Amino acid sequence: MTETVNQQRHRGLKQVFAVSIGLFLVFLDSTVVNIAIPNIIDDYKIDLSKASWIINGFVLTLAVLLVTLGKMADMFGRVRTFLWGVIIFTVSSFLCGMAPSADLLIIFRVLQGIGGAMVIPTSMMLVRTAVPPEKIGLAMGIWGAVGAMAVAIGPSLGGLITEYIHWRWVFYINVPIVLLAFPFIFLAIRVRNEPIHKFKLDPLGILLMSLSLFFLTYAILQGEEIGWTSYKIFLYFVISVVSGALFLFVETRVKNPLLDFSIFKNRLYVSGLVSNFLSGILLMGTLILLPLFLIKVKEFSTLEASFVITSLSGVMLIVAPITGRAIDKIGYLIPMLIGYITIIVSFSLLINIDVNVSVLKLILFLAILGTGLGIIMITSVTVCTATVSQTQISLSSGIFATVRSVGGAIGVALFVSLTLSFLNHYSANVVDEGVTIIKESDIPKKLKDSIQKVLMKQRDTFFEEKNNNRVLELDEESKQLLAKNIEKEVLAKIPKGTSMSPEMQKKIEEQVKQQLINIDKNIANIKKQIEDISKEYVAKSMAKAFFSGIILCFLSSLSLPFLSKKFSLSHSREVDI
């Protein structure tokens, strides 16, 4: 018996919520793991370079496979691909929690990435086809709100789990969620006779595109660590460009290309991609700097920092469904314009942050940024799904997710590189101001000269040193030598012929001890002053990095006129998907 329209729409909203649960898992995992990295390093006794692959392995896998698996979903069935993606993601999450070594954890994170690359594009397809055209904005708003909720609670949840349970539970947590939700997911999106599009795979195209995306993303992720001017990074970019050019050459000559380039003739879609790319850069770039600012500059605990960051991602949860409804009524241009203006306002506030910025102000700035990002993210995902034909929905979803992933990697690299660049510029300022403080301090001249000499060696590398204030910490040998010098000075002041009675010796020892205590206090005060100065320059460097967000917004806004174009879906909705 044919379903009524109301029944179809009711089933469609159930499908939207069910599919969004799968997306929730993937997005939660992308934010909940980062905050556990320090504990993972301690448990496995690995360095930060290796630990970074616990993150990079997941990100790289997503970037490389999103388009391919999105396309293959049409071949094997979108629902089947989505369900298997959830299963693979859940099993690999359990294996990540069980991993006895860092190497196995990285392997299982790659497996998680495969599951995520199956879930993300298919979730967009299933949401897009679950509701009628006039409700697409609302559906994508719900989809985006669930994703925003995962991003919102990820840092706080990761902090709570890591601090009060164990880091392994940031992976285990996915298992009970799926066990509880999977029956609902299965029933809500179960379909009969799911349409499957038969086509031949383009293995050479897949290989070339994967190589291009892998080396592009890998170069971006490793650029700061290896050095942007390194021959290795240059080689990675060359491989990416060459394989990308070969991919374009091959795709124009094969019968069944992996990529249908006609999709880029759709100006609405291209404009949505540009804004999607921007949101990926700004969100991940901001999220990489915020914990450093809160923990290193404001001296918050990891848990406290995660709660402050939630003000950014939490407001996205509120904005997403509101934006979706607005899009259904007024179109794309006005919401996107409001989003851009809001982001520019937020970064205009963030470029003025300093050491003394209040928590309430910072939360307000982040809430404004979250509002702008939430509007842009939902508007861009709606544009990129609603303005393409049914035959291009798989491809458009894969490209959209890939662009977001690569944008996130670029955002991290860009914001970190800019911050470090400005810190290197300010390194001499910190050392010079520190030397002035030392000269004016009340400590022995020999000690002043010694500290100044070592500190001046760090004039160009102060912020590169892991413990840049260690020159102000006296070891036992230095303390003993200092004590002897002080004792000599005290003895020199005693009149000749004075008998060294036990009382006199005790008095001398007390004077030496008191002078050592005073010197320790003075050194601690100097250290605190230099730390405060360095924090000011860290905040200033991050603020300047945030200025790039304003520039990127203005550049991306050049695509906004495309959104004034009228678009209506002439094709019918696929009721059975």
Side-chain angles (χ1 to χ4, degrees):
M1 185 176 178
T2 305
E3 293 178 300
T4 66
V5 173
N6 287 335
Q7 287 173 327
Q8 291 170 9
R9 292 184 182 182
H10 178 63
R11 185 177 63 81
L13 286 177
K14 285 197 299 184
Q15 179 168 308
V16 170
F17 282 108
V19 168
S20 297
I21 294 173
L23 180 76
F24 176 86
L25 289 172
V26 180
F27 277 22
L28 178 67
D29 202 72
S30 66
T31 57
V32 77
V33 176
N34 298 43
I35 209 156
I37 290 297
N39 297 72
I40 295 175
I41 290 174
D42 291 340
D43 274 13
Y44 285 136
K45 294 179 173 56
I46 57 177
D47 56 24
L48 182 59
S49 177
K50 187 163 189 175
S52 67
W53 280 100
I54 297 170
I55 305 297
N56 294 348
F58 183 79
V59 173
L60 274 171
T61 306
L62 280 180
V64 170
L65 294 180
L66 280 166
V67 173
T68 301
L69 291 179
K71 187 77 172 178
M72 290 176 67
D74 283 340
M75 185 176 181
F76 298 105
R78 298 169 186 175
V79 173
R80 293 184 187 89
T81 303
F82 176 82
L83 293 175
W84 275 109
V86 172
I87 292 171
I88 292 172
F89 188 86
T90 307
V91 172
S92 59
S93 296
F94 179 76
L95 293 174
C96 284
M98 293 286 290
S101 68
D103 291 332
L104 281 175
L105 177 57
I106 292 169
I107 291 172
F108 295 145
R109 283 286 283 169
V110 170
L111 187 60
Q112 266 193 322
I114 295 173
M118 296 169 73
V119 168
I120 294 175
T122 50
S123 70
M124 291 176 65
M125 301 174 204
L126 293 172
V127 168
R128 160 69 173 76
T129 55
V131 294
E134 66 272 13
K135 294 292 183 181
I136 288 177
L138 173 61
M140 298 314 300
I142 294 171
W143 181 86
V146 174
M149 181 169 66
V151 175
I153 70 173
S156 301
L157 182 62
L160 286 168
I161 291 174
T162 303
E163 189 157 328
Y164 295 110
I165 308 178
H166 195 276
W167 66 261
R168 292 184 182 274
W169 275 92
V170 301
F171 298 109
Y172 287 143
I173 192 69
N174 294 328
V175 179
I177 293 175
V178 172
L179 289 177
L180 290 172
F182 197 81
F184 169 70
I185 295 173
F186 181 79
L187 292 174
I189 65 174
R190 185 179 59 179
V191 295
R192 295 185 179 88
N193 301 320
E194 180 185 10
I196 294 176
H197 306 281
K198 293 183 180 180
F199 60 88
K200 290 184 179 180
L201 288 175
D202 176 19
L204 182 57
I206 291 173
L207 175 63
L208 290 171
M209 186 185 70
S210 298
L211 280 173
S212 182
L213 287 172
F214 175 84
F215 281 102
L216 172 63
T217 311
Y218 183 72
I220 293 168
L221 292 172
Q222 295 293 104
E224 190 54 50
E225 183 178 337
I226 298 177
W228 291 106
T229 57
S230 165
Y231 77 92
K232 287 185 178 179
I233 295 299
F234 177 74
L235 178 62
Y236 298 152
F237 277 122
V238 169
I239 294 173
S240 175
V241 171
V242 171
S243 55
L246 288 173
F247 172 71
L248 295 176
F249 177 79
V250 169
E251 292 299 283
T252 56
R253 284 160 175 78
V254 295
K255 186 177 180 181
N256 297 297
L258 179 66
L259 213 59
D260 178 7
F261 293 102
S262 66
I263 195 171
F264 297 112
K265 294 179 182 179
N266 182 340
R267 292 186 177 184
L268 283 167
Y269 180 75
V270 171
S271 180
L273 278 186
V274 170
S275 296
N276 174 50
F277 185 61
L278 173 71
S279 65
I281 292 175
L282 299 185
L283 178 62
M284 297 310 296
T286 304
L287 287 179
I288 196 68
L289 292 189
L290 284 177
L292 296 175
F293 177 79
L294 293 168
I295 294 171
K296 299 295 185 183
V297 177
K298 299 295 288 183
E299 297 184 348
F300 285 10
S301 69
T302 302
L303 194 58
E304 289 171 336
S306 67
F307 284 133
V308 173
I309 294 170
T310 301
S311 62
L312 184 155
S313 45
V315 75
M316 293 166 61
L317 175 64
I318 300 170
V319 169
I322 297 173
T323 303
R325 286 184 176 275
I327 290 170
D328 288 333
K329 295 179 180 179
I330 61 176
Y332 311 120
L333 180 58
I334 294 176
M336 194 75 89
L337 188 60
I338 293 172
Y340 272 79
I341 292 172
T342 307
I343 289 177
I344 290 172
V345 168
S346 66
F347 277 109
S348 298
L349 294 170
L350 285 171
I351 61 176
N352 294 303
I353 61 169
D354 55 29
V355 178
N356 299 315
V357 64
S358 69
V359 176
L360 288 178
K361 274 189 177 180
L362 193 56
I363 288 174
L364 175 63
F365 298 167
L366 296 181
I368 295 171
L369 177 58
T371 300
L373 284 175
I375 293 172
I376 283 186
M377 290 169 70
I378 296 306
T379 308
S380 62
V381 73
T382 307
V383 170
C384 289
T385 51
T387 62
V388 297
S389 65
Q390 293 285 4
T391 57
Q392 290 182 321
I393 188 65
S394 300
L395 176 63
S396 68
S397 300
I399 294 173
F400 181 90
T402 301
V403 166
R404 170 69 63 81
S405 182
V406 174
I410 290 175
V412 171
L414 175 65
F415 278 57
V416 170
S417 294
L418 287 173
T419 300
L420 291 179
S421 176
F422 288 120
L423 284 176
N424 289 334
H425 174 73
Y426 290 131
S427 178
N429 298 54
V430 177
V431 171
D432 290 346
E433 291 181 40
V435 168
T436 301
I437 292 170
I438 293 169
K439 285 180 178 179
E440 296 174 353
S441 67
D442 187 20
I443 59 176
K445 186 178 184 304
K446 285 186 177 180
L447 185 58
K448 283 184 183 180
D449 294 340
S450 174
I451 292 175
Q452 287 175 206
K453 186 177 180 180
V454 178
L455 191 59
M456 284 299 291
K457 289 180 180 179
Q458 299 180 14
R459 198 168 184 275
D460 297 323
T461 60
F462 181 84
F463 289 103
E464 295 178 14
E465 301 290 337
K466 291 183 178 178
N467 299 300
N468 43 45
N469 269 339
R470 69 181 186 276
V471 295
L472 300 174
E473 296 176 0
L474 301 179
D475 56 29
E476 285 302 316
E477 185 178 348
S478 298
K479 285 182 179 179
Q480 289 176 10
L481 182 61
L482 183 61
K484 288 181 181 179
N485 291 333
I486 294 172
E487 186 177 358
K488 286 180 182 179
E489 292 175 2
V490 172
L491 289 172
K493 294 177 181 179
I494 297 175
K496 291 181 179 181
T498 304
S499 61
M500 295 300 293
S501 62
E503 291 79 8
M504 178 63 71
Q505 289 181 346
K506 185 176 181 181
K507 187 176 181 181
I508 291 171
E509 288 176 0
E510 287 177 352
Q511 288 183 27
V512 172
K513 184 178 179 181
Q514 186 59 49
Q515 285 196 45
L516 285 173
I517 291 173
N518 291 337
I519 289 171
D520 282 340
K521 287 180 178 178
N522 287 330
I523 289 177
N525 183 48
I526 293 169
K527 183 178 179 180
K528 179 67 167 61
Q529 290 182 68
I530 294 177
E531 284 178 348
D532 289 343
I533 292 169
S534 66
K535 286 177 183 178
E536 288 175 4
Y537 282 111
V538 170
K540 188 179 292 187
S541 298
M542 289 183 177
K544 288 195 171 184
F546 284 135
F547 186 75
S548 65
I550 298 176
I551 297 173
L552 289 171
C553 273
F554 278 116
L555 292 175
S556 299
S557 67
L558 297 175
S559 68
L560 291 182
F562 293 159
L563 295 178
S564 61
K565 178 183 175 182
K566 299 290 183 181
F567 184 89
S568 61
L569 290 174
S570 57
H571 54 277
S572 60
R573 181 172 64 98
E574 292 181 63
V575 174
D576 291 323
I577 294 183

